[in-house]
Amino acid sequence: MPEPASNPGRSLQSAPRRRAIRWDALAAIIASMVGLLALLVAGYTAYIQRQQVRAQVWPYLIIGNDDLSQSLTVQNKGVGPAIVRSVQVWIDGKPQPDWIHVVAALGMPPLHFNQTTVNRDVLSPAEELQAIHFTDKKLWQRFHDAAFGRMAMDVCFCSTLDECWVSGNRNLVGPATMPLQLRVQPVAQCPRLRAAEVFNN
């Protein structure tokens, strides 16, 4: 019995097809991945550079009192300039506008003292300002004793990158054995103060 003739067209259809490699599409995918990687590297490099710049311009203000110089001081212990945006001083929790009012609020007669304006000033690295200074040691001691436990001060300052902090001291005048209540904390921006809250010296 004769065998049925084989169908050559059918055998060709059953053979698996080989897909042609689309080199243009593969090249486009690889180019996109390289571009994305380059973008990520550039972003990370920019972040690292900004961190380095932040470290190079970082200010750090501290507020304290110095018996040797008979003064209240504001000092920049950071490595960048400190741009002072606002200052507040309180006596018994009440804001004061200047040192004359501070002395009066302490129940003292007008005294001979020197003052340096801190508000709206720029302190260079390692610079120290004597916010209020007494040339007479007895007057300094009198001021010191009257202000003990009653005076507080806040200074809001920013770096050249417009990053801001508030440096505050709730034990601005006190004995050396008393622990400092100094704090420096970051803020989004310096607060908008009412005119009655601003210390103008």
Side-chain angles (χ1 to χ4, degrees):
M1 182 177 225
E3 293 184 5
S6 61
N7 189 344
R10 190 174 180 185
S11 63
L12 286 175
Q13 287 180 357
S14 62
R17 289 184 179 179
R18 295 186 63 187
R19 283 188 168 181
I21 299 176
R22 298 186 59 185
W23 293 107
D24 54 344
L26 183 61
I29 293 172
I30 292 173
S32 298
M33 292 177 66
V34 169
L36 179 61
L37 182 61
L39 184 63
L40 292 174
V41 170
Y44 181 72
T45 303
Y47 170 77
I48 293 298
Q49 288 176 342
R50 180 171 173 81
Q51 295 299 100
Q52 291 173 341
V53 171
R54 286 179 66 193
Q56 291 169 356
V57 300
W58 175 69
Y60 189 81
L61 288 189
I62 60 170
I63 309 164
N65 70 85
D66 185 0
D67 283 331
L68 292 177
S69 66
Q70 299 164 188
S71 59
L72 300 181
T73 62
V74 178
Q75 184 179 9
N76 183 3
K77 289 204 167 186
V79 295
I83 304 166
V84 177
R85 296 282 170 81
S86 65
V87 179
Q88 292 179 278
V89 175
W90 297 271
I91 298 294
D92 299 326
K94 184 177 179 182
Q96 304 297 318
D98 51 44
W99 289 117
I100 294 174
H101 284 81
V102 167
V103 169
L106 293 173
M108 302 172 64
L111 301 174
H112 296 288
F113 58 83
N114 300 319
Q115 63 185 23
T116 303
T117 300
V118 178
N119 198 4
R120 300 294 175 182
D121 201 352
V122 178
L123 277 74
S124 301
E127 183 178 1
E128 179 180 279
L129 296 181
Q130 293 180 345
I132 183 169
H133 166 68
F134 293 86
T135 55
D136 186 286
K137 188 168 185 177
K138 289 183 180 179
L139 290 180
W140 162 252
Q141 192 61 50
R142 189 174 174 185
F143 173 83
H144 188 283
D145 293 343
F148 171 62
R150 301 175 60 192
M151 181 183 293
M153 187 173 185
D154 275 358
V155 178
C156 189
F157 63 98
C158 301
S159 71
T160 54
L161 295 179
D162 211 28
E163 294 178 313
C164 302
W165 298 262
V166 171
S167 177
N169 196 332
R170 293 296 176 266
N171 179 29
L172 189 55
V173 177
T177 55
M178 191 171 183
L180 290 175
Q181 296 180 22
L182 177 68
R183 58 175 173 77
V184 180
Q185 61 183 23
V187 292
Q189 61 182 6
C190 289
R192 292 176 177 264
L193 303 175
R194 294 178 300 169
E197 299 174 322
V198 177
F199 189 75
N200 297 299
N201 290 140

